[in-house]
Amino acid sequence: MALFNILKKEDSTPPQPSDRPVPQHIAVIMDGNGRWAKKRGLPRTAGHKVGAETFRTIATYCKNIGVKYFTVYAFSTENWKRPEEEVSTLMNLFRRYLKEAIDTMAKDEIAVQVIGDLSVLAPDIRELVARCNAEAQKRPEFSVATLCINYGGRDEIKNAVRAIAQEVQAGQLKPEDITEDTISQHLYTAHMPDPDFIIRPSGEIRTSNFLLWQSAYAEYYFTDVLWPDFKPADMDAAIDEFNRRNRRFGGV
Ligand code: FPP
């Protein structure tokens, strides 16, 4: 009941678009769910449930203000170490959300896709992911919301290196022809631009294996706000800070 009341209250503020320039690709490490729940005497899983609602709100807000790509770290390759109940709650949240996204994608005008090492996910989740990704591919004109599930930056680079090595072994590629772009094209994000802006809520100041290759020139933004408390106004504040930064990409 407490959780329901909190959600009801938070849902009462509809996101309002603004007219500020926005990054093309924003990525978020959705951190602080456990602490949010602990502060309220709730189980950690309650934090993830509210965090999933925050994801819906912020993904919609990003689409409304013109962000083409919104990417979130939903489950890392290391998160399997968490208690079984927490892992299964997260998997159920993914199930529920993917089912919903398949049906509402056209209406919401957000192409929802999942990336990561999906081979170890439960077969029904893999099936939902396949349907969701197939649906998303039919909608190139939509904004894209990407869930990184069983994602690890090092794991992704290792898989890319393996795939490239296999092409070299098969005589399809010469080692001297391997470029940075070859590597980018073998990552899960091959079809997306690199993130311009990476946001980490909850006061933690580290990258935690998220989009390691792709973040080479990203601007980072850290805030103490816990992810379940993150509002469209927090996104506006982050984007204002992004717009104040002077991105030089190694130039002067
Ligand atoms: C890190 O916070 C968060 C996660 C490991 C999971 C994030 C997943 C969600 C918010 C659910 C997403 C669901 C959908 C449908 C998109 P933490 O639990 O480590 O927080 P703590 O550092 O405060 O303990």
Side-chain angles (χ1 to χ4, degrees):
M1 182 55 92
L3 181 59
F4 178 71
N5 284 338
I6 290 161
L7 280 175
K8 237 178 109 184
K9 204 172 91 210
E10 293 190 349
D11 280 350
S12 64
T13 323
Q16 296 297 322
S18 68
D19 55 7
R20 54 174 61 69
V22 296
Q24 182 188 29
H25 184 174
I26 297 180
V28 176
I29 301 175
M30 302 188 289
D31 200 7
N33 303 324
R35 277 164 285 166
W36 182 94
K38 196 172 169 202
K39 267 171 60 180
R40 289 163 176 76
L42 297 168
R44 294 176 53 78
T45 49
H48 295 314
K49 288 175 191 163
V50 180
E53 291 306 319
T54 303
F55 163 77
R56 283 182 175 84
T57 304
I58 299 297
T60 303
Y61 185 65
C62 281
K63 178 222 124 184
N64 287 344
I65 61 175
V67 175
K68 173 74 181 172
Y69 297 92
F70 177 64
T71 301
V72 293
Y73 207 178
F75 194 91
S76 77
T77 44
E78 289 72 39
N79 285 154
W80 299 106
K81 294 180 209 147
R82 295 189 174 211
E84 202 186 316
E85 195 208 338
E86 186 170 341
V87 171
S88 84
T89 297
L90 285 166
M91 294 299 149
N92 283 334
L93 287 171
F94 301 146
R95 274 189 183 92
R96 200 178 122 199
Y97 178 69
L98 293 172
K99 274 182 201 150
E100 177 190 307
I102 291 163
D103 291 339
T104 62
M105 218 180 276
K107 176 174 72 66
D108 294 346
E109 299 182 354
I110 301 178
V112 175
Q113 59 167 10
V114 180
I115 59 170
D117 175 2
L118 309 172
S119 64
V120 296
L121 299 180
D124 70 307
I125 300 186
R126 288 214 307 269
E127 162 72 21
L128 287 169
V129 167
R131 284 172 56 200
C132 212
N133 286 356
E135 205 54 45
Q137 269 176 16
K138 291 185 213 155
R139 313 277 183 182
E141 72 282 15
F142 285 179
S143 289
V144 180
T146 305
L147 271 64
C148 300
I149 299 181
N150 195 31
Y151 175 87
R154 286 186 171 188
D155 187 60
E156 178 185 38
I157 293 169
K158 175 207 74 188
N159 290 338
V161 169
R162 269 194 194 155
I164 293 169
Q166 278 159 1
E167 286 173 32
V168 170
Q169 196 175 35
Q172 295 157 352
L173 184 65
K174 290 193 198 127
E176 58 271 28
D177 290 339
I178 297 171
T179 62
E180 290 187 7
D181 195 49
T182 314
I183 296 170
S184 293
Q185 289 309 314
H186 285 78
L187 300 175
Y188 303 130
T189 51
H191 50 297
M192 292 158 69
D194 288 341
D196 308 289
F197 195 33
I198 300 183
I199 299 173
R200 182 165 195 159
S202 94
E204 306 292 347
I205 304 180
R206 53 180 176 270
T207 62
S208 295
N209 207 11
F210 187 46
L211 302 175
L212 290 183
W213 176 272
Q214 300 88 333
S215 63
Y217 288 102
E219 295 292 326
Y220 278 90
Y221 179 84
F222 300 97
T223 168
D224 288 340
V225 175
L226 303 174
W227 176 247
D229 287 330
F230 197 92
K231 299 281 184 296
D234 296 304
M235 183 55 86
D236 285 345
I239 292 173
D240 284 345
E241 167 65 21
F242 176 85
N243 286 332
R244 281 193 292 270
R245 305 244 179 119
N246 179 9
R247 300 182 82 200
R248 293 192 297 276
F249 301 94
V252 287

